Amino acid sequence: MADITENIDSLNIIEMPQAPAAQCLYPQLDTATVGDLPVVDFSLATDTIASEAVVDQWSNGMEPQMRHSSEANRSGLLTAIALFGILMAFNFKHLRRICSHYIEELTRPRTGRTNLFDDHPAGDTRLAIMLLTQFGVCAGILLSEGIIYNYHIPEATNLSIAAVVLLCVGYLLLQAVVYAVVGYTFGGKSVMRRWVASFSAVHALMGTISVIPMALAVFYPEAVKAVCYVSAIIYLIGRIIFIFRGFKIFYDNLLSCFYFILYLCTLEIIPLILVYQTALTIIAKIL
């Protein structure tokens, strides 16, 4: 054992240099003075900031936002809609029969004098007037909504909406009178009756259908664009059916085609343009 120890001592062992001690980048904290440091209550600071934010909200309030303009906020318009609903409920037992009668009026050709034994539903005239007025109201509301959406009008008064509704109702009543006069002048009493009956049938059916688009436009303003397009298509289909019906009633020879073109320009196209321009003026400039 002693020999082994002597041999180890006799070896020239090179000692490896020691790595320098790492220097601390942060100041050393004297643990003896830790107890003398002040204690900070961070919960008190958090409560103070929260209370100041609450006081600031109560004192300054919230930033106001623009109120969305909708016909659902107009009590007068909702009253009119409810009134039409009540009238329809009281006449509901006649509604199905009279709608079937109007569809038959448009699909079955009638020539000559009106038959005394033709089936006319009870309350035909009363319901025709009510449905025609209802279509005028729905058309006025939809036209107002379309103009407001298309021209980005922020607010429309109750008076302007009512004026557009009265404009549409007056336009329909004036059309009925004009058709009666034109039909009596160019075809006699029987032709006048058939043409006016076709006019009443088309607009009564459209008055029944247009309640749904009108309700969607009033209570769902985000669907106004789609609803207006659908309503325009419904109106266009109705007018095409009525024009085709009038062509079948009045057509006799080639000269009738010339009169028919004059009729289209005078009673169908120009009045619609005037009604639209008047409604636009009412909503955007006058009221």
Side-chain angles (χ1 to χ4, degrees):
M1 189 69 181
D3 296 335
I4 295 173
T5 305
E6 292 177 356
N7 292 331
I8 293 175
D9 293 337
S10 62
L11 293 177
N12 296 325
I13 299 175
I14 301 173
E15 294 182 359
M16 298 298 295
Q18 296 292 330
Q23 296 180 358
C24 183
L25 300 179
Y26 301 98
Q28 296 293 327
L29 182 64
D30 189 3
T31 55
T33 60
V34 170
D36 299 333
L37 293 177
V39 178
V40 180
D41 189 0
F42 291 99
S43 62
L44 180 60
T46 305
D47 295 340
T48 304
I49 296 173
S51 61
E52 289 179 356
V54 172
V55 172
D56 184 68
Q57 290 181 357
W58 279 103
S59 60
N60 297 332
M62 299 180 64
E63 183 179 356
Q65 298 180 357
M66 182 181 294
R67 181 187 179 188
H68 180 72
S69 177
S70 172
E71 273 63 37
N73 300 326
R74 309 176 191 277
S75 59
L77 182 60
L78 294 180
T79 302
I81 295 174
L83 181 61
F84 273 108
I86 294 172
L87 292 176
M88 291 294 295
F90 277 110
N91 295 276
F92 183 77
K93 61 180 181 180
H94 304 297
L95 185 61
R96 181 178 179 181
R97 187 180 178 188
I98 200 170
C99 287
S100 301
H101 170 72
Y102 286 148
I103 294 173
E104 184 181 1
E105 178 73 32
L106 296 174
T107 56
R108 187 180 69 181
R110 295 188 178 187
T111 58
R113 295 182 302 173
T114 304
N115 192 348
L116 180 63
F117 298 99
D118 284 341
D119 184 20
H120 292 280
D124 185 5
T125 304
R126 183 182 69 251
L127 272 178
I129 295 174
M130 186 186 71
L131 291 174
L132 185 65
T133 307
Q134 178 174 298
F135 175 72
V137 173
C138 295
I141 295 174
L142 290 170
L143 181 58
S144 303
E145 286 284 352
I147 291 174
I148 293 171
Y149 176 83
N150 190 30
Y151 292 94
H152 305 285
I153 299 174
E155 187 71 23
T157 62
N158 292 327
L159 188 58
S160 63
I161 303 295
V164 174
V165 169
L166 291 177
L167 174 67
C168 292
V169 173
Y171 169 66
L172 292 176
L173 296 178
L174 181 62
Q175 271 190 321
V177 174
V178 171
Y179 291 144
V181 173
V182 173
Y184 183 80
T185 302
F186 290 95
K189 196 172 184 179
S190 61
V191 172
M192 181 265 293
R193 286 179 177 175
R194 281 184 287 148
W195 203 24
V196 173
S198 299
F199 174 81
S200 300
V202 168
H203 289 81
L205 292 175
M206 287 196 296
T208 305
I209 298 173
S210 60
V211 173
I212 299 175
M214 182 270 297
L216 291 175
V218 170
F219 296 104
Y220 296 95
E222 61 274 7
V224 168
K225 183 178 180 180
V227 167
C228 288
Y229 278 119
V230 172
S231 303
I233 292 173
I234 293 174
Y235 183 76
L236 182 62
I237 293 174
R239 298 307 297 182
I240 290 174
I241 294 173
F242 174 69
I243 291 171
F244 179 73
R245 177 71 174 174
F247 183 77
K248 292 178 64 176
I249 292 174
F250 285 98
Y251 179 76
D252 290 328
N253 48 42
L254 292 177
L255 187 60
S256 301
C257 294
F258 174 72
Y259 290 136
F260 187 73
I261 294 174
L262 292 179
Y263 148 73
L264 287 178
C265 296
T266 307
L267 298 181
E268 296 295 337
I269 300 176
I270 295 177
L272 280 178
I273 297 175
L274 293 177
V275 168
Y276 180 80
Q277 291 295 331
T278 305
L280 178 61
T281 303
I282 289 174
I283 292 180
K285 295 182 180 180
I286 296 179
L287 301 176

